[in-house]
Amino acid sequence: MSTVLQNISVALRSHRRTPGVAAAAILTLSVGIGLATAVFTVAEALLLRRLPVRDQDRIVVLWGELTGDQSNYPLGIDDARLFEQRTRALGAVGFYMYEGAIPTLIRQGNDLTRLRGALVSGDFFDVLDVAPSLGRALRPADDVRGSLPVIVLSHEAWQQKFGADPAVIGRRVTTHFNGVAYTIVGVMPQGIDFPKGADFWAPVIPGVPERSMQYLALHVIGRLAPGVTAAHARDEITAFYQRPAATVWQRTLRGTVRSLPQLIVGDTKPALLAFAIASALLLLITCINVANLLMVRGLARVREIAVRAALGATRARVIGQLLLENGLIALAGGVLGAAVATAAVRGFVAFAPEGVPRIREIGVNGTVLGGAIGLTALATLIFALAPAILTSRVQLQEVLRSDARQTAGRGSRLLTEGLVVAQVALAMLVLSAAGLVGRSLIKLQRVDLSLEPSNLLIAELAMRADQFDTKEKQPALLDKLMRRLESLPGVRGASHVVSVPFGGGWDGRPATDGQTPDEVAANPMLNMDVVSPSYFRTLGIPLVRGRAFTDEDRENAPKVVVISAAAARHYWPDGDPIGKRLKMGGDLDEIFTVVGVVPDVRYRELRDARASIYFPIHQTIFPFAPTTLAIRTTGDAADFIPTLRRVISDADPSVAVSSAAPFTTLLGGPLAQPRLNAFLLVVFGAAGVALAAIGLFGVVTTAVRQRVREIGVRLALGASPRDLRRMVLKRGLAIAAVGLFVGVAGALMTNRLIAALLYDVSPSDALTLGAVAALLLAVAALASAIPARSTTRIDPVDALRVEG
């Protein structure tokens, strides 16, 4: 024990003699291990951690798709029940409403709470085979007409909205929409986040009026039968769509199957994989950098090691001591890295965009700390053992006769320079990825929306079901509210819209006169919107040709539509669409005349301007009018929200504003994930650049120290300080240039992996790669210039006195 303590004491004294190297190594390790561990934490929670269900990969969701169209098409309730009877690929079958989790206002006493609710079949949780953490799950008996309305809460909603109160079981809450009093019967365990964002689950049948059952659209969720693959289930639902009794429209669909983990992780997987690769590269840079630091430090101590050997120390004893010294650095770096990881994970959770799955489950725990220890141990083996062995290989008599600064041979110098080349190359990989994602973000932020986002307020109204139990009631009530709003000072326009920006909506596939069924099936799915006459003026959408809607476009007038430019190009590529006819409806028996064309607007999706068709609200073929409003104000849209709530309440106390936000605020939703991607990759890139600069600085500084005698000779023979600075700087830039060449070649191959994160930017974008290479070259020049300047402080007389 005393020997161990003595060795530790010797190791600490050794570090005190070179505190700069020790501090640089510890800080380098803490950054690399900390960030890598943080990404591991997030990946473990989102990708690796199993859901609290049995055999999660055997649970699949099925729907229909058209070739070349990523939209999904659900089943009506009759078809869903028929498929349930016929399926052999699924051992257990359930359903959920295809809209997913829908914002719902519920009342608890006099308080209104906004939750996201999902309508599911009574056997939904039987398919998942998950036990509730409190109370019970839904049962098939809950999903029949006349049953007591019940709901099950998510773990997050129970904690955040109900204070984690165990007495919540049996409590009753009332939905504002239909005034139904639901009894809370259970709480699901943490990690059940399906449909995405669900705060509670309610059975389908009690939650849908009898008159609306024909409009139900359901996705099938099921558990694969023993021995059955997902491909079998896909083929089975494809055959169901193409059965003889199916409609012509259904027979154009093909089945699609996704596993439950795939749907829960969703679009975050490409970004997470990119971060994992970046963190692995950063950890590799870290290990190389620390190895380089300790190699240089070890080579500078060869005289000390030779003296120890002369005094009787065995090679094993020398290696053990050096390994202990390096192990202490690894331990300190690992401890500090765990602290960095904790801070990084908390930062990710705090700044993660809304909708990241299972975000509440992400936190530093024993698994993460174990990962930090494992990474530290791996780093120790990489950067501690090899330098220790190499440093202990000294020829005793040769070293004692020579200057320590001359001991490092050509092989050692090439090794340390090769490590720096690897660091620069890896930094190029990470920073080029950050540059591409950053350029994509800039382009996405500057994309032309074809509308004016400033001073535009979007509000969702919560209305009772009895306010639109007939087709005429709801438009009449909305017209009354609209007139109130438009009469207010500070309001320049107001209109209905189907949904909030980037929040989904309705799709349709119009046909033209004379199209065959196959031609109709090849028509694009159009974003459908039901709007007021003032819609285009309110949103600032210019009219390309024709006219906008007017107050005369009402129930008994000829039916008209306005279409977007992409829709016009598809249906009439060589002609004027004004006055042409489009057919809609299940039997294509609703005829509309095109009266106007507008640009393709980025309202539904930010990345793609959707082809759209617009209907005047009083001529809509849909059973319900939209309850989302767009309001153009003269001042800041956010300042108008209190006035909006007061006016709506005064006009009709039964109508509530469930949400209201400026368009620019909602624009942050689709930009949140790209911003986080860019931020994290920039952090990784900056860390990689800093580590590469440290490594290059160390190598060039060591090279100057080892060439003191040569520099003295050059000075004595008349070389100018400028020549010497150029010599050193040239060597440093040569090392960086080789690293950049390797890094650019690697980036051209690896950047394809992040193509899903890019927008309007090629993975091999020359401007980005050139800018990153120039930045790294400038950093390399700075890292080399500092030791290059030190050559001017060398006295040639002192240099020539060095022992040869």
Side-chain angles (χ1 to χ4, degrees):
M1 185 66 181
S2 60
T3 303
V4 174
L5 294 177
Q6 182 181 4
N7 289 339
I8 292 176
S9 177
V10 171
L12 293 175
R13 286 199 303 270
S14 174
H15 289 318
R16 282 199 296 270
R17 287 196 297 270
T18 55
V21 173
I26 291 172
L27 290 175
T28 299
L29 270 178
S30 64
V31 170
I33 291 176
L35 292 180
T37 303
V39 172
F40 169 78
T41 300
V42 177
E44 188 273 334
L46 301 188
L47 297 181
L48 305 178
R49 189 178 303 171
R50 308 289 291 181
L51 300 173
V53 301
R54 181 176 63 85
D55 296 334
Q56 62 176 23
D57 297 318
R58 302 288 294 171
I59 303 173
V60 294
V61 176
L62 303 87
W63 62 81
E65 276 186 359
L66 287 170
T67 302
D69 185 355
Q70 295 303 311
S71 300
N72 57 71
Y73 302 95
L75 294 170
I77 188 166
D78 292 336
D79 281 344
R81 287 171 172 166
L82 180 61
F83 179 79
E84 181 181 22
Q85 295 170 5
R86 294 186 176 184
T87 181
R88 296 294 178 267
L90 304 180
V93 183
F95 312 105
Y96 66 90
M97 291 282 284
Y98 91 102
E99 296 97 335
I102 302 173
T104 306
L105 280 184
I106 64 170
R107 291 187 179 275
Q108 298 182 75
N110 295 324
D111 297 329
L112 276 176
T113 303
R114 190 171 187 264
L115 297 177
R116 296 181 65 86
L119 294 181
V120 301
S121 60
D123 46 11
F124 178 82
F125 292 108
D126 290 339
V127 173
L128 298 183
D129 196 6
V130 56
S133 57
L134 201 64
R136 67 172 178 86
L138 298 180
R139 301 167 179 165
D142 297 322
D143 196 23
V144 296
R145 192 68 65 190
S147 62
L148 178 69
V150 297
I151 62 172
V152 173
L153 297 176
S154 72
H155 191 271
E156 290 73 16
W158 175 60
Q159 287 186 322
Q160 297 172 19
K161 303 294 185 179
F162 297 88
D165 183 4
V168 73
I169 303 300
R171 186 182 301 179
R172 305 185 80 184
V173 296
T174 303
T175 57
H176 181 83
F177 168 71
N178 52 15
V180 175
Y182 286 90
T183 300
I184 300 173
V185 296
V187 176
M188 283 293 111
Q190 190 174 47
I192 301 297
D193 186 21
F194 191 80
K196 186 177 179 179
D199 293 316
F200 69 87
W201 297 267
V204 173
I205 303 301
V208 178
E210 187 72 42
R211 64 180 181 276
S212 301
M213 291 298 291
Q214 60 179 314
Y215 303 112
L216 273 182
L218 304 170
H219 278 330
V220 178
I221 183 170
R223 183 177 289 276
L224 294 173
V228 174
T229 66
H232 292 138
R234 181 195 60 219
D235 294 341
E236 190 175 69
I237 194 169
T238 297
F240 182 80
Y241 280 122
Q242 297 176 356
R243 70 193 189 279
T247 64
V248 174
W249 155 245
Q250 284 180 319
R251 288 199 291 272
T252 64
L253 298 175
R254 57 181 173 81
T256 297
V257 177
R258 295 287 186 275
S259 71
L260 185 63
Q262 285 177 319
L263 290 175
I264 288 180
V265 172
D267 294 337
T268 61
K269 187 172 183 178
L272 200 56
L273 290 176
F275 300 149
I277 293 171
S279 65
L281 293 177
L282 184 62
L283 184 61
L284 184 56
I285 296 173
T286 298
C287 294
I288 292 172
N289 202 326
V290 175
N292 225 346
L293 285 171
L294 297 181
M295 182 75 76
V296 169
R297 178 174 178 266
L299 292 174
R301 297 173 62 194
V302 292
R303 182 178 290 275
E304 172 195 338
I305 295 171
V307 171
R308 290 189 184 185
L311 295 176
T314 64
R315 185 181 180 203
R317 177 70 180 272
V318 171
I319 291 177
Q321 184 62 41
L322 294 175
L323 192 58
L324 176 60
E325 293 176 10
N326 296 338
L328 290 177
I329 290 178
L331 179 61
V335 172
L336 192 55
V340 171
T342 301
V345 169
R346 289 176 179 172
F348 176 84
V349 172
F351 294 103
E354 184 178 356
V356 173
R358 309 172 75 179
I359 188 68
R360 300 298 173 188
E361 299 178 53
I362 300 174
V364 177
N365 52 32
T367 303
V368 176
L369 292 178
I373 295 171
L375 290 172
T376 303
L378 178 62
T380 300
L381 290 175
I382 292 174
F383 70 73
L385 185 58
I389 294 174
L390 291 174
T391 306
S392 68
R393 288 178 175 176
V394 297
Q395 298 298 322
L396 181 59
Q397 295 180 358
E398 179 182 341
V399 170
L400 291 178
R401 288 199 309 263
S402 65
D403 173 29
R405 289 174 294 189
Q406 309 295 330
T407 304
R410 176 180 175 83
S412 298
R413 187 164 59 250
L414 290 178
L415 175 60
T416 55
E417 291 178 354
L419 292 175
V420 174
V421 166
Q423 291 180 69
V424 174
L426 294 175
M428 180 70 201
L429 293 181
V430 179
L431 201 58
S432 66
L436 292 172
V437 172
R439 281 204 71 199
S440 296
L441 175 61
I442 292 172
K443 289 200 170 189
L444 204 55
Q445 289 173 326
R446 296 176 178 175
V447 71
D448 183 12
L449 301 174
S450 296
L451 58 83
E452 177 50 56
S454 60
N455 298 333
L456 184 62
L457 182 67
I458 306 295
E460 293 180 281
L461 302 182
M463 306 177 71
R464 295 201 314 259
D466 59 5
Q467 291 171 321
F468 51 98
D469 53 3
T470 67
K471 192 175 181 180
E472 294 75 26
K473 275 188 177 181
Q474 191 182 21
L477 175 58
L478 290 170
D479 280 349
K480 171 187 170 184
L481 298 177
M482 203 68 64
R483 287 192 297 271
R484 286 280 188 96
L485 289 172
E486 290 184 323
S487 67
L488 294 175
V491 175
R492 294 165 52 192
S495 174
H496 311 86
V497 288
V498 163
S499 65
V500 297
F502 321 113
W506 301 339
D507 288 326
R509 190 187 303 275
T512 59
D513 292 330
Q515 282 191 316
T516 66
D518 289 340
E519 290 173 333
V520 172
N523 288 336
M525 291 298 293
L526 303 185
N527 168 47
M528 299 192 296
D529 217 332
V530 180
V531 302
S532 305
S534 60
Y535 173 80
F536 301 107
R537 172 173 54 85
T538 298
L539 269 73
I541 301 173
L543 198 65
V544 175
R545 66 180 68 175
R547 69 171 177 88
F549 299 133
T550 68
D551 290 332
E552 282 69 43
D553 297 319
R554 304 189 72 83
E555 294 86 348
N556 298 322
K559 293 182 178 180
V560 297
V561 292
V562 171
I563 61 176
S564 72
R569 286 193 299 271
H570 172 79
Y571 289 103
W572 300 283
D574 301 319
D576 186 352
I578 303 302
K580 300 296 194 303
R581 303 197 311 170
L582 286 173
K583 298 186 290 185
M584 294 287 294
D587 297 322
L588 299 179
D589 54 352
E590 299 280 353
I591 309 298
F592 294 85
T593 301
V594 178
V595 297
V597 178
V598 295
D600 300 307
V601 178
R602 296 175 191 268
Y603 185 93
R604 175 84 74 88
E605 297 176 11
L606 183 61
R607 282 178 169 259
D608 298 303
R610 290 283 302 271
S612 302
I613 182 169
Y614 302 89
F615 302 87
I617 187 170
H618 292 290
Q619 293 185 352
T620 176
I621 61 176
F622 306 108
F624 309 120
T627 56
T628 301
L629 304 180
I631 304 164
R632 173 73 62 185
T633 62
T634 56
D636 189 341
D639 295 339
F640 187 74
I641 294 176
T643 302
L644 171 67
R645 294 186 184 277
R646 185 181 67 253
V647 170
I648 296 297
S649 178
D650 291 345
D652 192 319
S654 66
V655 179
V657 178
S658 63
S659 70
F663 186 97
T664 50
T665 299
L666 299 173
L667 187 60
L671 288 174
Q673 185 67 52
R675 283 172 177 163
L676 182 65
N677 295 345
F679 172 75
L680 292 178
L681 285 174
V682 166
V683 169
F684 283 122
V689 171
L691 296 179
I694 292 172
L696 185 59
F697 174 81
V699 165
V700 176
T701 300
T702 303
V704 171
R705 291 181 57 195
Q706 292 173 346
R707 300 174 69 181
V708 167
R709 182 178 179 82
E710 175 190 343
I711 292 171
V713 171
R714 288 176 180 268
L715 287 171
L717 295 177
S720 67
R722 182 178 180 181
D723 293 334
L724 296 175
R725 287 196 300 269
R726 185 183 296 114
M727 177 188 70
V728 175
L729 187 61
K730 182 179 178 181
R731 186 60 184 172
L733 292 178
I735 296 171
V738 175
L740 288 176
F741 178 80
V742 175
V744 169
L748 290 174
M749 294 184 292
T750 59
N751 284 342
R752 298 173 187 172
L753 300 175
I754 62 168
L757 306 182
L758 304 182
Y759 172 78
D760 198 25
V761 175
S762 168
S764 57
D765 182 63
L767 180 61
T768 302
L769 294 178
V772 171
L775 173 62
L776 285 171
L777 202 59
V779 171
L782 179 61
S784 303
I786 297 174
R789 290 190 62 187
S790 67
T791 59
T792 61
R793 294 193 294 269
I794 295 176
D795 187 326
V797 176
D798 292 338
L800 292 173
R801 286 175 180 167
V802 173
E803 293 180 8

